[in-house]
Amino acid sequence: MTATLTQPSVAISHPDPGHPGGHCRVTVRYWHVKDGEPSPPTVHDPTFHMRYRSHCGGCGDEGPVRSRENEAAEDGCDHAYPGWRDLPVMEHRPYEGKPLARWQEECRRVYPAGWFERQGPVREYRNPGGTRHVPGYAPGGGYCMAVLRQRPQPNHPTPAAVQGALFG
């Protein structure tokens, strides 16, 4: 298989590649860059060996080529689920059992009716180091989109304030 920008050798990173003619939903395709393959301006790191592109299984829309999987997933969600970036941010998804059932119930309560039946994404807080958008983890099988939780900043005085207090 050869990889080019027009006909990449593709693997699907979302479990449901979609059914043409259905509602829009997110699929992310990826491939290894071949020697000499040009990098479009949407690629932030031309030296990285992978390329990603969102693909809509409902209408066939494709996003720009990216060097980061998260950006491709966001492109796909922008296409298939307008307004997703403005929806509430949930706590991190529990892994199993009753906590997971409660989390899914809370997601369905605060997100628009029918959102998850269309495989809409859920936004969830993550700590640094766990920021990948995960396919198939939202209620209904859509993406769990990572929202980086901001760490509280220590309340340290600035060097100028310290110097002013010492020598002022």
Side-chain angles (χ1 to χ4, degrees), residues 87-156:
L87 293 173
V89 182
M90 308 301 292
E91 287 301 318
H92 186 60
R93 178 186 186 270
Y95 290 103
E96 59 186 40
K98 289 183 182 180
L100 175 58
R102 283 191 297 270
W103 180 83
Q104 290 176 338
E105 184 179 302
E106 180 65 10
C107 290
R108 291 182 187 281
R109 188 183 71 73
V110 300
Y111 274 65
W115 184 260
F116 297 116
E117 287 68 30
R118 293 186 334 116
Q119 294 180 331
V122 64
R123 298 173 69 218
E124 69 171 14
Y125 282 119
R126 304 271 187 76
N127 293 321
T131 58
R132 179 177 180 256
H133 300 326
V134 182
Y137 266 44
Y143 270 84
C144 272
M145 306 299 280
V147 175
L148 188 61
R149 187 184 307 273
Q150 298 299 319
R151 289 188 173 175
Q153 298 299 314
N155 190 11
H156 295 296

Side-chain angles (χ1 to χ4, degrees), residues 1 5 11-12 19 29 48 63 71 88 120 137 144 150:
M1 289 190 221
L5 288 177
I12 305 297
H19 305 285
R29 296 178 174 196
F48 191 62
E71 290 174 336
Y137 266 44
C144 272
Q150 298 299 319

Side-chain angles (χ1 to χ4, degrees), residues 28 47 116:
V28 173
T47 64
F116 297 116

